[in-house]
Amino acid sequence: MLTETSGPRAHRSDPDRFEIVWVGDVLLADKAQPHLVRHGYDWPFRYLRPLMAGDYLIGNAEGPVTRLTEKIHPDRRWSYNADPDSAAALAEVGFDAMSLSNNHAFDRGPEGLADTVEHLTRAGVRPFGAGMNEAEAAAPLLVPTPFGTVAVTGIGKRWKHGQFAEADSPGTIVLSEETIAHQKALADEAGARWTVAFVHWGSTYTPVSNTQRRQAAEFAAAGYDAVIGAGSHVAQPVEIVDGMPVLFSLGNFTFGSSGRFTPEMPGYGLVARTVFDATGLTGIRLTTITTDNKQVAYQPRPTGRKVSHGLLAGLGPAVNAGSRTALGLRTLLGRPVVGDVDLTAA
């Protein structure tokens, strides 16, 4: 069964374009829990809300939404669950859909995954990228726009502590050349004009790997229009691979653990805006955010201009770090810098 939205949001302000906003890992739990209990589950988003405004908002739910607390893998060091009250907060701050295709989706077993799907769906947030069987897990998220449907496929690497869906068993879809092609075929069958892969891959707190680059080329060969990644907890470069834009990792968004950042792999993330119009995917804009909880105390926020310029420049030549498109956003730290991805090569 395909996961289809009810249509574009009623508050769309520009009939000539449709913006999907993408953010990285979200976990409303763990070390942040005392703050969440005291201030509410929308508290981590205080400084990020202007960046989340768009026609459709997608993030990665890095942990099941359930009251179950027993680890399915007792030997696993990092194992999470978020209180079901967090689902309503995700909807309230604007999330339309959340990917469950990650290495923590099964931290509380099949019951925890079922709870996650139930709580998100009840709150009005579309889950995708995992399910109670292979058909559910593989079903693309379909986002209708005035210009055609965007299919978003949630897919991820083979994890040590993950579980991969089969015909009659729950889990996620493992990333392989075969599943890349199969997911694209499902999107085509659904009549999608564009297909975007939302991928959980790579290793935590590390640079882009050769495996990621090889798999990016496989997505391009299969006909995808873009790849947007997460999984490393840090921002990774942006490249145009065989004419297809690849954002290797958005890093964290509102992630409730302390993190293991280093000077080489600092605590910054990205918010990405993909712009669609009658002619196609016409732009990708990036905003940098500070996510190291030692600095922001579980309330991430846009970076200052100088830091943002340096971070965008470090993402590679595909990003115009000198962009000063401000989008009218003002925050505690001033006006964030927005970098535009150069799609001319695509």
Side-chain angles (χ1 to χ4, degrees), residues 234-304:
V234 293
Q236 290 182 334
V238 176
E239 297 179 4
I240 305 297
V241 178
D242 295 334
M244 179 193 70
V246 181
L247 284 57
F248 279 102
S249 178
L250 300 178
N252 286 348
F253 190 57
T254 51
F255 196 73
S257 77
S258 55
R260 292 177 283 125
F261 303 109
T262 65
E264 294 75 25
M265 292 286 121
Y268 297 107
L270 302 170
V271 176
R273 312 175 74 83
T274 51
V275 180
F276 298 87
D277 64 17
T279 64
L281 173 60
T282 59
I284 301 176
R285 294 185 291 179
L286 304 175
T287 304
T288 59
I289 59 174
T290 303
T291 61
D292 186 344
N293 286 317
K294 293 179 181 178
Q295 299 180 43
V296 300
Y298 303 100
Q299 285 188 305
R301 57 203 68 189
T303 59

Side-chain angles (χ1 to χ4, degrees), residues 67-224:
R67 289 191 172 88
L68 298 174
T69 58
E70 184 176 354
K71 297 180 181 182
I72 192 69
H73 299 287
D75 62 332
R76 186 167 194 184
R77 183 176 179 182
W78 292 286
S79 183
Y80 307 123
N81 69 281
D83 189 279
D85 287 346
S86 66
L90 292 174
E92 192 277 327
V93 300
F95 280 99
D96 293 284
M98 297 294 288
S99 174
L100 309 183
S101 180
N102 58 68
N103 53 314
H104 289 285
F106 223 71
D107 279 0
R108 300 295 180 262
E111 294 84 3
L113 178 59
D115 285 349
T116 304
V117 171
E118 178 183 353
H119 291 307
L120 289 176
T121 302
R122 185 179 298 172
V125 180
R126 297 277 183 170
F128 70 100
M132 303 315 294
N133 54 54
E134 187 175 15
E136 288 185 8
L141 172 75
L142 301 179
V143 183
T145 83
F147 318 108
T149 297
V150 180
V152 183
T153 180
I155 192 169
K157 64 179 284 187
R158 185 177 295 279
W159 301 293
K160 177 181 178 181
H161 293 105
Q163 178 159 322
F164 300 103
E166 298 181 356
D168 297 311
S169 61
T172 60
I173 300 297
V174 65
L175 176 59
S176 70
E177 189 170 6
E178 292 73 24
T179 54
I180 288 171
H182 178 65
Q183 297 294 91
K184 181 62 168 66
L186 290 177
D188 291 345
E189 290 170 9
R193 180 177 177 184
W194 302 282
T195 305
V196 179
F198 198 35
V199 187
H200 210 77
W201 56 0
S203 299
T204 57
Y205 308 99
T206 63
V208 174
S209 68
N210 291 333
T211 298
Q212 284 174 274
R213 287 197 164 90
R214 173 181 57 78
Q215 291 168 333
E218 291 171 355
F219 279 110
Y224 284 72

